[in-house]
Amino acid sequence: MDRDLIAHFPVVLAVARRGGFAAAAAELGMSPSAVSHAVKTVEDRLGLPLLARTTRSVALTEAGAQFVAEVGPALAEVGEAVERLRATRGRVTGVLRLNAPRVALETALTRVIAEMAWRHPDLVIEVTSDDGLVDIVAGGWDAGVRLGEMIAQDMTAVRLTPPFKAIMVAAPGYLAARGEPGVLADLADHNCIGFRLISTGGDYAWEVRENGADTAVRVRGSARVTDPLYARDLALAGVGVAYVFEPLVREAVRDGRLRWLLPDTAIEEPGLFLYFPRRAAQAPKLRAFVDVAREVLGPRRRDGSDRSGTTFS
């Protein structure tokens, strides 16, 4: 194997991960022409096309998929070995790629990333906001954040938040005009802000408790979103009833801008967890992130201020 050929392998992987030459060039700090040249060099030396190119898209060939599956993990192991060596000098460097739903950004990740920026300025944390279910390994992410019930058994999971409820809320002005629902059946007479599932394209049925059992309620309304934070914003604007995680509206409920409806019907979610493959647990950048998360999101400090009440498993 030509030694100079190996240097081009990360470029091919970046194009495959990003789905295009321009996006890979931006990530790597290279020009698109340099990226194209590197990919062509690898293909010419191997004698196989790795990427199928059209004027509108770039996709992996069968050989390209095999290249990514076999070379990608090998390079990742080399990169982690290098990072472990660097960590012996007390430095955490490189890029930590996270995939997380929007709810996790506000409730957990922003505070952790802010602290990481101070402690480990040589580390770049790249966050992909995604509310769908994804394969973090196939997608090239180091770790993901999801509700505990959504995490595969073969992953290592670290708790980020305590359990929380999924609740229904509406603005006082809306309720003054439309009335407040007294039972779940009354939702049929209300403008409910729907939620579209990105992964399937279907409408999400609100999960609630009724007569001691979990059930799903189909709702209708004049607005449908894919972003839970925007559902909250629409509720604050008086559009209608929103179904959201309680931490996202805690302050608005506390100061009266939103009212919690039918509280006895709220279900409890297991909370948000950071998860990653077991083999990645010792990567210095991931260990540093977990350590900071433990501190920033941990129990109350001695001065009594709240840092989310989180405990880690």
Side-chain angles (χ1 to χ4, degrees):
M1 175 65 68
D2 296 334
R3 292 183 179 180
D4 61 340
L5 184 61
I6 297 176
H8 296 312
F9 286 178
V11 180
V12 178
L13 294 174
V15 175
R17 180 171 60 250
R18 291 299 189 178
F21 289 80
E27 176 184 322
L28 299 172
M30 301 170 60
S31 68
S33 60
V35 169
S36 179
H37 175 74
V39 172
K40 187 176 185 303
T41 298
V42 175
E43 291 178 325
D44 289 345
R45 299 279 185 88
L46 295 180
L48 291 168
L50 301 179
L51 298 167
R53 308 160 178 80
T54 69
T55 57
R56 301 179 60 183
S57 65
V58 174
L60 288 170
T61 63
E62 183 177 355
Q66 183 178 355
F67 179 91
V68 170
E70 295 182 3
V71 174
L75 285 184
E77 289 182 7
V78 171
E80 289 170 4
V82 171
E83 285 192 325
R84 285 193 292 271
L85 290 174
R86 286 174 173 168
T88 61
R89 299 187 312 220
R91 296 180 61 218
V92 176
T93 63
V95 178
L96 179 66
R97 296 181 174 89
L98 305 177
N99 184 292
R102 284 293 305 275
V103 63
L105 308 186
E106 183 170 319
T107 57
L109 291 186
T110 298
R111 286 173 288 166
V112 179
I113 292 172
E115 186 68 20
M116 288 288 292
W118 284 103
R119 298 192 189 186
H120 304 289
D122 294 328
L123 177 69
V124 176
I125 300 178
E126 179 182 295
V127 181
T128 299
S129 177
D130 189 345
D131 287 295
L133 295 177
V134 297
D135 184 337
I136 59 171
V137 175
W141 290 286
D142 297 292
V145 178
R146 289 296 183 273
L147 293 173
E149 63 191 15
M150 297 180 177
I151 298 173
Q153 295 277 329
D154 60 348
M155 291 285 174
T156 296
V158 178
R159 179 177 288 280
L160 293 180
T161 74
F164 47 70
K165 294 182 181 295
I167 69 175
M168 292 176 281
V169 294
Y174 168 85
L175 295 173
R178 299 289 294 268
E180 185 167 337
V183 294
L184 285 172
D186 292 342
L187 291 176
D189 299 322
H190 281 268
N191 192 37
C192 295
I193 300 165
F195 191 83
R196 175 79 71 183
L197 296 169
I198 296 176
S199 56
T200 65
D203 293 337
Y204 178 75
W206 294 3
E207 297 178 9
V208 296
R209 294 281 292 176
E210 185 176 31
N211 299 323
D214 291 350
T215 188
V217 176
R218 296 286 178 182
V219 298
R220 294 181 299 173
S222 62
R224 187 181 297 116
V225 301
T226 60
D227 185 341
L229 275 69
Y230 193 51
R232 175 192 63 185
D233 293 344
L234 290 177
L236 285 166
V239 172
V241 180
Y243 179 88
V244 294
F245 293 138
E246 185 272 335
L248 294 178
V249 294
R250 185 172 295 158
E251 291 186 9
V253 170
R254 184 182 299 144
D255 62 25
R257 289 178 294 145
L258 289 174
R259 192 176 301 164
W260 186 345
L261 308 177
L262 304 173
D264 292 340
T265 68
I267 65 167
E268 185 168 88
E269 299 286 0
L272 293 169
F273 289 75
L274 180 77
Y275 68 99
F276 42 85
R278 292 191 177 98
R279 64 176 177 79
Q282 296 306 310
K285 59 187 177 183
L286 193 53
R287 289 172 57 193
F289 188 88
V290 170
D291 288 344
V292 170
R294 289 180 186 274
E295 180 177 339
V296 172
L297 301 176
R300 291 178 179 271
R301 296 179 292 180
R302 293 181 180 178
D303 62 4
S305 61
D306 193 349
R307 301 195 89 168
S308 89
T310 301
T311 57
F312 283 76
S313 58

